[in-house]
Amino acid sequence: MAALTRLLRSAATSGSTARISLSTLASEPKTVFPAGLAARLAPAPTRKERDERNVQWVFLGCPGVGKGTYASRLSQLLGVPHIATGDLVREELASTGPLSQKLVDIVNQGKLVSDEIIVELLTKRLSKGEEKGESGFILDGFPRTVRQAEILEGVMDIDLVVNLKLREDVLVEKCLGRRICSECGKNFNLARINVEGQNGQPGMYMPPLLPPSGCMTKLITRADDTEEVVKERLRIYNDMSLPVEEFYRRQGRLLEFDLPGGIPESWPKLLQVLSLEEHHEDKQLAAA
Ligand code: ADP
């Protein structure tokens, strides 16, 4: 992974996206890929690669769709780190480092941080993980531009890209209902989504994800979760990140997943399309 972090850094600054395969990081794709997608992923990892590395997945999706929630659940299930570039940006904002001042206006206006800065933050996070012996990852919120996707493509193999989808009116409501506990850092949602079906799409109900009483008095709202900024983030997603979906769709690596409702409905279905139900049951048995 040291090679990876060096390469990420140099690709971001030099513009080079030469393909370099890091075969020391590995996955067990036959346990995780939906049948149709598995056939389209190339090249198939060798037995040695499969045995040596964990999954390298990307989660795409609009602000508020729940990338963090599902990526974090899957990372626990699969034993790989969940790396959210939004969290890396917020950590930097909370610090007194020189970058902090530079980032605050960009983030609070819902704009994207430059590719160079975001790659630098990701590289630092991967280096720290490497020191701790981490292998594999689920990336959340990266890549968000085609340039970032090309940089990533140049330095590592991405096994699968999951694209989570929800109606835009629901996305706005979910962002506005989002709260974070300032003490434990957990995410909650006060919104009760109950929308009628429209244009042939079914209606949807999502119960609020309420905090335990201990967190209730410590809830904070992200500065960029105001209606105006959420709408700007959605506009920027459509402008800059829809082409990233297309980038992976063309490669046959994109798994589209329309969320059918809240966590109780969506989580089992997501496990099913990822062929992970057994994995989940094994873990529950082990924990019993
Ligand atoms: P969202 O809820 O919009 O998906 P995130 O928590 O992923 O928000 O990111 C918060 C902010 O951090 C973004 O609006 C953007 O300013 C910055 N950011 C996060 N990831 C990236 C990225 N890959 N490229 C550029 N900016 C990013």
Side-chain angles (χ1 to χ4, degrees), residues 2-49:
L4 163 67
T5 48
R6 272 199 308 278
L7 284 163
L8 259 177
R9 216 170 251 145
S10 69
T13 48
S14 72
S16 151
T17 55
R19 186 80 182 93
I20 293 150
S21 167
L22 296 171
S23 55
T24 48
L25 301 173
S27 73
E28 293 181 44
K30 73 175 187 294
T31 60
V32 293
F33 294 136
L37 194 69
R40 282 183 276 137
L41 292 174
T46 62
R47 169 122 196 218
K48 182 163 180 286
E49 283 172 334

Side-chain angles (χ1 to χ4, degrees), residues 43-101:
T46 62
R47 169 122 196 218
K48 182 163 180 286
E49 283 172 334
R50 272 207 307 270
D51 292 346
E52 281 176 5
R53 75 169 168 88
N54 286 317
V55 299
Q56 298 181 173
W57 288 0
V58 162
F59 264 66
L60 298 181
C62 288
V65 76
K67 296 184 294 292
T69 303
Y70 294 102
S72 147
R73 283 179 162 235
L74 281 172
S75 86
Q76 284 168 31
L77 189 67
L78 298 171
V80 294
H82 164 215
I83 302 180
T85 45
D87 289 345
L88 301 181
V89 167
R90 281 183 288 279
E91 275 166 31
E92 196 61 44
L93 282 179
S95 76
T96 48
L99 255 187
S100 173
Q101 275 313 306

Side-chain angles (χ1 to χ4, degrees), residues 265-278:
E265 265 179 288
S266 304
W267 176 236
K269 290 211 169 114
L270 182 61
L271 290 178
Q272 197 183 0
V273 296
L274 292 171
S275 307
L276 281 173
E277 310 105 301
E278 266 181 41

Side-chain angles (χ1 to χ4, degrees), residues 184-201:
C184 72
K186 285 206 179 115
N187 277 274
F188 302 100
N189 208 305
L190 308 182
R192 180 181 305 278
I193 312 281
N194 198 357
V195 289
E196 306 267 310
Q198 66 174 27
N199 305 328
Q201 289 182 314

